[in-house]
């Protein structure tokens, strides 16, 4: 072999040895934020990482300063084909002060196919998930293109970041799991999903109503509990995104019950996703009102426990005020004496009712006003008879069933007492 051939051969061996060392440096050390190497022909989501790695190589090559500009570029191309497995360097040149590498996938690279596997979810939650992933496979394919399978040996982390970026806005609370399968027609990427904590562990339903008794609401609570069971065990973040659908699912189920249908009640549901999720439903009938209660007195020898029932039929007069024709029956526990009241009341303002009623026995007319405060709020009612007697109750509703009030009855010897009521 001539001396010239020996020098060229030694030069190639030296460049390959240097390429191996630089390859190791490129894999171990990240490149600068502003890369001095431009990569063309690679997917956009891979380009930044490739340019940072190539910049590390380029910095090592130029640090020595002994190789010429063309030799440095050839060495960069040699290392790039080893670092970026699956790609060939089609061309390399300078663009200003930057080195440019034009890459192309190696021959035989086939386009990708994507399979989206949805988790096993109960109806109708499974349909919500399918809506969320609709078109996701096509979007992932558009980013993969002809990515070489060999590139996954160094680009698997970037691929996972890409999939997470595409899935996160659609599926918050879910983590994508990837599996690559090689078929004759080309590579197939299978994307499946697993939920991420925290999860919805339980749903606590609370049904409130100004027109339905507590005994009827218990069935509605059970209805909500059954209806919302499919969201238990799912990520809180994802369920929160579908809050409107959860609320409509619960409200639709309540509307199908006989209680709501027969009373023609309007239903509103508010849902808040949490580990112990709250589902608050307000059921109100524009036609009927029913209330039953038991009451006990303290501080009076003339008052005995009693059972009460209120039933009313609402209607809307020309004036626009909500009006109600009602009957009330109060049974005393000591002698089973029964007092009945027949009246009409209307609501000139929200939470305020005014009316007039006829009480039996005695055939006495009473004028009456109610000021309602709701749950965990004070309230007031006041009756004045045509004979000038006053009957007043000022209290506080502790929850949906229990309330305590200061009771005044001007007809009794012990005019003031404490009354505890429990709605039935």
């Amino acid at each position: 072999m001539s001396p010239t051939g020996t020098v060229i051969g030694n030069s190639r061996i030296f460049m390959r040895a240097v390429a191996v060392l630089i390859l190791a440096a490129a894999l171990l050390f990240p490149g600068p934020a502003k890369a001095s190497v431009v990569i063309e022909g690679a997917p956009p989501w891979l380009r930044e990482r490739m340019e940072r790695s190539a910049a590390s190589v380029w910095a090592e090559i130029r640090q020595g300063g002994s190789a010429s500009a063309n030799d440095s570029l050839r060495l960069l191309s040699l290392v790039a084909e080893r670092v970026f497995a699956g790609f060939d360097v089609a061309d390399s040149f300078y663009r200003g002060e930057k080195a440019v590498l034009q890459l192309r996938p190696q021959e035989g690279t086939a386009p990708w196919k994507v399979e989206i596997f949805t988790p096993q979810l109960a109806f109708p939650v499974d349909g919500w998930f399918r809506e969320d992933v609709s078109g996701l496979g096509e979007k992932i394919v558009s980013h993969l293109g002809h990515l070489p399978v060999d590139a996954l040996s160094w680009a698997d982390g970037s691929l996972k970041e890409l999939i997470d970026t595409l899935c996160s806005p659609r599926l918050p609370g879910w983590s994508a799991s990837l599996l690559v399968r090689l078929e004759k027609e080309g590579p197939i990427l299978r994307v499946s999903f697993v939920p991420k904590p925290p999860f919805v562990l339980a749903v606590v339903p609370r049904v409130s109503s100004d027109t339905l008794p507590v005994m009827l609401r218990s069935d509605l609570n059970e209805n909500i509990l059954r209806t919302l069971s499919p969201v238990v065990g799912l990520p809180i973040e994802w369920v929160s995104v579908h809050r409107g659908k959860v609320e409509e699912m619960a409200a639709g189920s309540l509307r199908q019950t006989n209680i709501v249908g027969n009373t023609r009640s309007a239903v509103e549901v508010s849902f808040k996703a949490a580990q112990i999720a709250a589902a608050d439903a307000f059921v109100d009938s524009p036609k009927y009102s029913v209330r039953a209660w038991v009451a006990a007195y303290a501080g009076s020898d003339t008052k005995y426990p009693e059972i009460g029932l209120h039933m009313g039929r609402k209607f809307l007069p020309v004036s626009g005020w909500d009006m109600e024709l009602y009957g009330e029956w109060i049974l005393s526990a000591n002698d089973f004496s029964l007092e009945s009241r027949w009246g009409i009341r209307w609501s000139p303002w929200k939470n305020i009712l005014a009316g007039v009623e006829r009480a039996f026995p005695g055939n006495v007319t009473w004028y009456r006003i109610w000021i309602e405060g709701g749950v965990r709020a004070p309230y007031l009612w006041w009756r004045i008879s045509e004979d000038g007697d006053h009957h007043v109750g000022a209290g506080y509703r502790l929850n949906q069933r229990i309330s305590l009030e200061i009771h005044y009855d001007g007809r009794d010897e012990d005019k003031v007492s404490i009354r505890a009521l429990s709605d039935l």
Side-chain angles (χ1 to χ4, degrees):
M1 180 180 293
S2 66
T4 301
T6 302
V7 171
I8 294 174
N10 291 338
S11 176
R12 289 177 177 173
I13 294 173
F14 172 76
M15 291 185 67
R16 288 176 181 173
V18 172
V20 172
L21 294 176
I22 295 176
L23 172 61
L27 296 175
L28 292 176
F29 303 102
K34 294 184 178 180
S36 56
V37 179
V38 176
I39 299 293
E40 296 179 351
W45 53 275
L46 267 181
R47 196 170 298 154
E48 181 179 356
R49 174 178 177 177
M50 298 173 74
E51 289 178 347
R52 290 171 67 90
S53 298
S56 296
V57 174
W58 188 241
E60 292 293 331
I61 293 174
R62 301 301 292 170
Q63 187 175 2
S66 58
S68 65
N70 290 334
D71 287 343
S72 298
L73 200 58
R74 284 196 297 270
L75 184 56
L76 175 64
S77 300
L78 179 63
V79 175
E81 289 186 344
R82 285 161 174 76
V83 173
F84 307 131
F87 288 94
D88 292 329
V89 178
D91 196 7
S92 60
F93 53 88
Y94 288 97
R95 182 180 294 157
E97 297 181 355
K98 293 189 175 183
V100 179
L101 295 180
Q102 290 185 342
L103 306 183
R104 63 167 176 249
Q106 292 178 348
E107 293 184 4
T109 300
W112 286 78
K113 293 183 179 179
V114 175
E115 296 177 347
I116 302 295
F117 273 68
T118 59
Q120 297 294 323
L121 301 175
F123 177 84
V125 177
D126 56 345
W128 305 349
F129 197 97
R130 287 193 297 269
E131 291 177 4
D132 289 344
V133 299
S134 176
L136 181 60
E138 293 78 1
K139 193 169 185 178
I140 295 175
V141 167
S142 68
H143 285 78
L144 293 179
H146 286 72
L147 178 71
V149 176
D150 291 344
L152 297 182
S153 62
W154 54 272
D156 55 338
S158 297
L159 177 61
K160 183 63 168 61
E161 292 177 4
L162 169 68
I163 302 302
D164 289 340
T165 300
L166 297 177
C167 294
S168 294
R170 296 166 172 247
L171 301 166
W174 294 88
S175 177
S177 178
L178 309 182
L179 177 66
V180 176
R181 188 172 73 252
L182 299 180
E183 301 289 348
K184 293 181 179 180
E185 62 273 13
I188 298 176
L189 176 65
R190 172 177 172 172
V191 183
S192 55
F193 301 91
V194 293
K196 296 186 298 185
F199 306 123
V200 176
L201 302 180
V203 175
V204 179
R206 291 190 291 263
V207 178
S208 58
S209 176
D210 294 334
T211 56
L212 297 180
V214 174
M215 65 181 72
L216 296 182
R217 300 180 214 166
S218 59
D219 291 338
L220 301 182
N221 277 313
E222 294 178 4
N223 181 279
I224 294 178
L225 198 59
R226 290 192 303 269
T227 302
L228 298 188
S229 61
V231 305
V232 176
L234 298 181
I236 293 176
E237 193 176 2
W238 186 74
V239 174
S240 297
V241 172
H242 294 279
R243 173 183 175 180
K245 294 178 180 177
V246 175
E247 293 174 345
E248 182 55 35
M249 179 172 65
S253 179
L254 290 178
R255 294 187 188 103
Q256 295 176 4
T257 61
N258 292 332
I259 297 172
V260 174
N262 293 336
T263 59
R264 304 178 187 177
S265 296
V267 178
E268 293 182 5
V269 177
S270 175
F271 178 82
K272 184 177 181 181
Q275 287 187 316
I276 307 299
D280 297 323
F282 181 73
V283 181
D284 191 59
S285 173
K287 298 292 184 181
Y288 307 98
S289 68
V290 181
R291 183 193 176 204
W293 70 91
V294 295
Y297 295 84
S300 174
D301 294 332
T302 58
K303 290 291 185 183
Y304 297 92
E306 61 189 25
I307 299 175
L309 175 65
H310 172 102
M311 298 184 68
R313 176 65 167 88
K314 296 181 179 181
F315 60 96
L316 186 66
V318 179
S319 63
W321 290 356
D322 291 329
M323 303 190 72
E324 178 186 348
L325 292 171
Y326 66 89
E328 284 187 355
W329 298 267
I330 300 174
L331 180 67
S332 180
N334 66 319
D335 57 2
F336 298 101
S337 59
L338 179 67
E339 178 186 359
S340 63
R341 304 166 183 172
W342 302 87
I344 183 172
R345 63 181 182 177
W346 60 95
S347 177
W349 298 283
K350 185 179 180 181
N351 297 329
I352 296 179
L353 292 167
V356 59
E357 63 189 19
R358 199 75 173 171
F360 300 91
N363 195 22
V364 180
T365 300
W366 291 79
Y367 304 94
R368 191 169 179 178
I369 186 171
W370 297 260
I371 301 177
E372 298 290 346
V375 178
R376 296 182 182 177
Y379 65 90
L380 172 71
W381 58 266
W382 193 343
R383 301 171 71 215
I384 304 174
S385 74
E386 59 184 347
D387 299 328
D389 293 323
H390 293 267
H391 193 190
V392 184
Y396 186 87
R397 186 172 292 276
L398 302 177
N399 52 42
Q400 294 184 9
R401 299 190 63 174
I402 307 298
S403 58
L404 294 174
E405 68 181 33
I406 298 175
H407 185 266
Y408 175 88
D409 193 338
R411 299 168 296 177
D412 296 336
E413 292 182 5
D414 298 326
K415 292 180 171 49
V416 179
S417 61
I418 303 296
R419 185 166 76 152
L421 296 100
S422 175
D423 285 353
L424 300 176

